């Protein structure tokens, strides 16, 4: 039987969709519901990882530590997880996360920059954390080149490496080719993971294809809460997994209740495939740029889709949110010629 390890990202990637603003009380309720529903791991931090709260990425309503502390208090069975980006989060942050109850961490880099993850992976392993490598914007790297980046992360000591479709740009063949490329070069004991976005309405299909090719860890979120059109929604993924005879530890109805009763009421903008979020996937733009681009479009009187298309053309990556303003100024200059 195919076993699937479900990693819920409602309270990390989902932070982008609610502008990193959520009360510790609501975090506690969602974590308790996820834990009771049987998910294997629950990721909690600012959308851009530990230390991500800033003017550039967006300040959080609370600190990572406040969210993590209340999450730890409401977990009985699941593995508490966090994400960290080298250059934002520090080794000291990893130690503090461990002290608060975090037992797994994903070290995230751009898909061509795995070499910057060595120190964080090493420190995380020394602490005793379960460690995954998280290669963001994987569509921007061809399968064989991406696999070499995964091999670097493996050499630094990760237990798992993810194909991360941050732009929601990959089709099923794109996922299949990248997972196969990973398996061709990685040790059989290294686990594989998939992190899909819904921008082209393919997140569940892409996750299914990934599992068929040997992925064991699947990211998903309640009601799909996540950047852009959201992540793979956990409820339909679990339903499909059940129909395919795969084993998860999740209670489908409990997840449905948590999605509808706890998460959807928090959305100030529907997390769905619409003209803006579809443009993200079509252009291959970083999903977390959506809210930044919408704000800039209102400020400068521009079409969000045109901004996102140019973001994709320039191949901007996380950390370059401020370039959206430059794009708007360039567009206004061109329009006023």
């Amino acid at each position: 039987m195919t076993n699937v390890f479900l990693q819920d990202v409602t309270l990390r990637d989902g932070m982008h969709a609610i502008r990193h603003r959520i009360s510790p009380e609501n975090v506690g309720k969602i974590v308790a519901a996820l834990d009771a529903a049987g998910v294997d791991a629950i990721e909690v931090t600012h959308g851009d990882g530990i230390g991500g709260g800033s003017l550039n990425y967006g300040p959080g309503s609370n600190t990572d530590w406040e969210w993590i502390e209340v999450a730890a208090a409401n977990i009985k069975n699941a593995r508490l997880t966090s994400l960290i980006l080298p250059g934002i989060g520090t080794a000291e942050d990893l130690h503090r996360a461990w002290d608060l109850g975090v037992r797994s961490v994903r070290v995230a880099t751009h898909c061509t920059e795995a070499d910057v993850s060595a120190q964080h992976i090493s420190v995380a392993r020394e602490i005793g954390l379960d460690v995954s490598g998280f290669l963001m914007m994987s569509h921007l790297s061809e399968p064989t080149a991406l696999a070499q980046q995964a091999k670097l992360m493996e050499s630094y000591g990760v237990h798992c490496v993810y194909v991360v479709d941050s732009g929601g740009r990959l089709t099923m063949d794109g996922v299949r080719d990248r997972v196969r490329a990973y398996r061709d070069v990685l040790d059989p004991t290294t686990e594989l993971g998939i992190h899909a976005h819904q921008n082209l309405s393919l997140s569940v299909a892409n996750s299914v294809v990934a599992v068929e090719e040997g992925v064991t860890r699947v990211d998903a979120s309640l009601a799909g809460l996540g950047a852009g059109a959201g992540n793979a929604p956990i409820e339909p993924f679990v339903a499909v997994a059940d129909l395919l005879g795969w084993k998860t530890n999740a209670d489908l109805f409990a997840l449905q209740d948590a999605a509808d009763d706890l998460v959807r009421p928090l959305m100030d903008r529907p997390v769905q495939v619409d003209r803006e979020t579809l443009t993200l996937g079509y252009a291959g733009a970083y999903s977390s740029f959506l809210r930044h681009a919408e704000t800039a479009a209102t400020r400068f009187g521009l079409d969000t889709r045109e901004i996102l298309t140019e973001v994709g053309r320039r191949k901007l990556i996380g950390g370059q949110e401020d370039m959206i303003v430059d794009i708007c100024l360039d567009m206004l200059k061109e329009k006023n010629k």
Side-chain angles (χ1 to χ4, degrees):
M1 179 177 285
T2 299
N3 294 297
V4 177
F5 182 95
L6 279 176
Q7 170 100 14
D8 182 88
V9 295
T10 305
L11 295 169
R12 199 282 301 167
D13 209 322
M15 292 289 196
H16 291 295
I18 55 175
R19 298 181 185 271
H20 318 286
R21 312 198 71 76
I22 185 171
S23 69
E25 179 185 6
N26 281 329
V27 168
K29 289 179 180 178
I30 293 170
V31 167
L34 286 166
D35 189 71
V39 300
D40 299 293
I42 303 170
E43 188 169 70
V44 180
T45 63
H46 183 278
D48 292 285
I50 296 174
S54 64
L55 289 176
N56 198 41
Y57 294 113
S61 61
N62 296 81
T63 67
D64 294 306
W65 313 122
E66 289 173 312
W67 288 325
I68 289 171
E69 189 171 16
V70 73
N74 284 277
I75 283 183
K76 296 180 179 178
N77 302 301
R79 183 185 297 171
L80 181 55
T81 306
S82 289
L83 179 131
I84 194 164
L85 279 71
I88 300 176
T90 66
E92 182 181 351
D93 291 331
L94 288 171
H95 283 279
R96 186 171 183 183
W98 171 270
D99 290 341
L100 289 176
V102 171
R103 292 297 176 262
S104 180
V105 68
R106 278 107 74 82
V107 181
T109 76
H110 183 58
C111 61
T112 59
E113 298 174 359
D115 58 337
V116 305
S117 68
Q119 182 181 21
H120 286 69
I121 291 170
S122 176
V123 170
R125 285 298 305 264
E126 289 172 5
I127 293 171
L129 288 158
D130 166 75
V131 188
S132 291
F134 210 66
L135 289 164
M136 299 184 292
M137 295 291 279
S138 290
H139 77 277
L140 290 177
S141 184
E142 291 303 310
T144 54
L146 186 68
Q148 289 306 311
Q149 296 294 305
K151 188 68 177 175
L152 275 180
M153 286 183 157
E154 181 186 66
S155 73
Y156 303 148
V158 297
H159 300 94
C160 175
V161 190
Y162 273 74
V163 173
V164 183
D165 188 19
S166 314
R169 175 62 179 78
L170 289 175
T171 61
M172 286 82 80
D173 282 345
V175 170
R176 183 181 293 109
D177 291 346
R178 283 162 178 77
V179 174
R180 288 180 179 178
Y182 276 21
R183 189 46 71 211
D184 285 344
V185 301
L186 298 180
D187 189 280
T189 61
T190 299
E191 293 184 68
L192 306 184
I194 182 69
H195 177 94
H197 276 264
Q198 181 70 346
N199 302 340
L200 292 176
S201 295
L202 296 176
S203 60
V204 172
N206 282 345
S207 299
V208 168
V209 166
V211 174
E212 289 175 341
E213 293 296 329
V215 160
T216 55
R217 300 196 193 192
V218 175
D219 281 9
S221 65
L222 291 168
L225 191 72
N231 293 106
I234 198 167
E235 315 89 74
F237 176 78
V238 168
V240 171
D242 185 61
L243 291 173
L244 293 173
W246 298 348
K247 184 180 185 303
T248 73
N249 297 314
D251 180 326
L252 176 59
F253 285 5
L255 292 173
Q256 291 174 337
D257 291 342
D260 285 1
D261 298 339
L262 299 178
V263 172
R264 284 196 170 89
L266 297 177
M267 298 179 185
D268 66 316
R269 181 200 193 283
V271 175
Q272 62 188 14
V273 178
D274 53 31
R275 56 190 171 190
E276 290 84 15
T277 61
L278 175 58
T279 302
L280 279 168
Y282 185 69
Y286 197 53
S287 292
S288 64
F289 280 17
L290 173 66
R291 304 302 297 258
H292 298 276
E294 288 181 328
T295 298
T298 299
R299 176 183 174 187
F300 294 104
L302 297 169
D303 189 323
T304 302
R305 292 170 294 180
E306 293 181 352
I307 297 170
L308 293 173
T309 298
E310 183 62 15
V311 165
R313 190 189 70 80
R314 296 190 188 190
K315 295 182 170 59
L316 300 188
I317 63 175
Q320 294 182 303
E321 283 81 355
D322 56 332
M323 293 296 294
I324 291 174
V325 173
D326 285 356
I327 286 173
C328 292
L329 294 175
D330 288 345
M331 291 173 66
L332 287 175
K333 183 178 179 180
E334 188 64 26
K335 288 179 183 291
N336 292 328
K337 278 185 177 180

